[in-house]
Amino acid sequence: MKSNKKGAKSRAGTSLPLLKQLAARPEKLFSGAFRQQYGAVCFRYRKGSPDTDRLEIEVLVVTTRDSGRWIIPKGWPMKKKKPHEAAAMEAWEEAGVRGTVSKQPVGRYTYLKELDDGDVVPCIVDIFQIEVEAAQSEFREVGQRMLAWVSPDEAARRVRELELKSLLVDFRPRPGRGRRKKKG
């Protein structure tokens, strides 16, 4: 069931596919004009099958507000926020989750972002892991996105970006070094 998305724009039939737009202006890829974003791989542990005490990892994926495709929480840099703090803020605003965030990125991926004006820009997303300790049902973008807790393999199947797929398939939380508690 899809959520009712306020402010979602229908772009069907109004623009060329992203790669065709970029192919028409290849200088964007080679001019070093990549835009920076910060993302969060939000995870939690759950008990595995009843016959084992083993804990399994679940990863949070969310849908975009406009197209409904699956992604991880991410966004633009924020004034007066360090990159890991911006990633944690995006996780809160887009999914209502808080937890322990790594100060160092666990990976990065690139993708093509269609801006509100229809222009396309290549983006680099530095990813920070967040071990989720609390989830709220009321948050900034509630009703505008769907959320799903899935295995890392399933998360990789749902997202489109190849580099992100690889990171999710291979995702194993890094130990506590360099982490800090996210206040909220």
Side-chain angles (χ1 to χ4, degrees), residues 34 65 67 72 74 82 106 115 119 130 153 160 175:
F34 279 77
R65 289 184 293 176
S67 68
I72 60 171
K74 64 178 170 43
K82 294 178 181 174
V106 295
L115 301 176
D119 197 15
I130 298 176
D153 284 343
R160 287 185 189 167

Side-chain angles (χ1 to χ4, degrees), residues 80-115:
K80 299 183 181 179
K81 297 258 185 235
K82 294 178 181 174
H84 68 279
E85 294 170 332
M89 182 66 75
E90 291 297 336
W92 170 249
E93 291 176 357
E94 295 182 7
V97 296
R98 294 187 194 272
T100 302
V101 60
S102 64
K103 289 184 177 182
Q104 298 299 315
V106 295
R108 70 171 21 164
Y109 72 98
T110 56
Y111 80 108
L112 299 176
K113 167 99 175 140
E114 185 171 8
L115 301 176

Side-chain angles (χ1 to χ4, degrees), residues 46-56:
R46 71 172 177 85
K47 191 166 168 63
S49 61
D51 57 331
T52 180
D53 290 337
R54 200 166 151 201
L55 294 176
E56 295 180 359

Side-chain angles (χ1 to χ4, degrees), residues 98-142:
R98 294 187 194 272
T100 302
V101 60
S102 64
K103 289 184 177 182
Q104 298 299 315
V106 295
R108 70 171 21 164
Y109 72 98
T110 56
Y111 80 108
L112 299 176
K113 167 99 175 140
E114 185 171 8
L115 301 176
D116 290 340
D117 65 4
D119 197 15
V120 177
V121 295
C123 291
I124 295 174
V125 183
D126 286 336
I127 302 169
F128 298 84
Q129 77 179 27
I130 298 176
E131 184 173 353
V132 174
E133 295 152 359
Q136 299 289 319
S137 58
E138 292 297 318
F139 52 94
R140 186 175 182 179
E141 296 179 14
V142 70

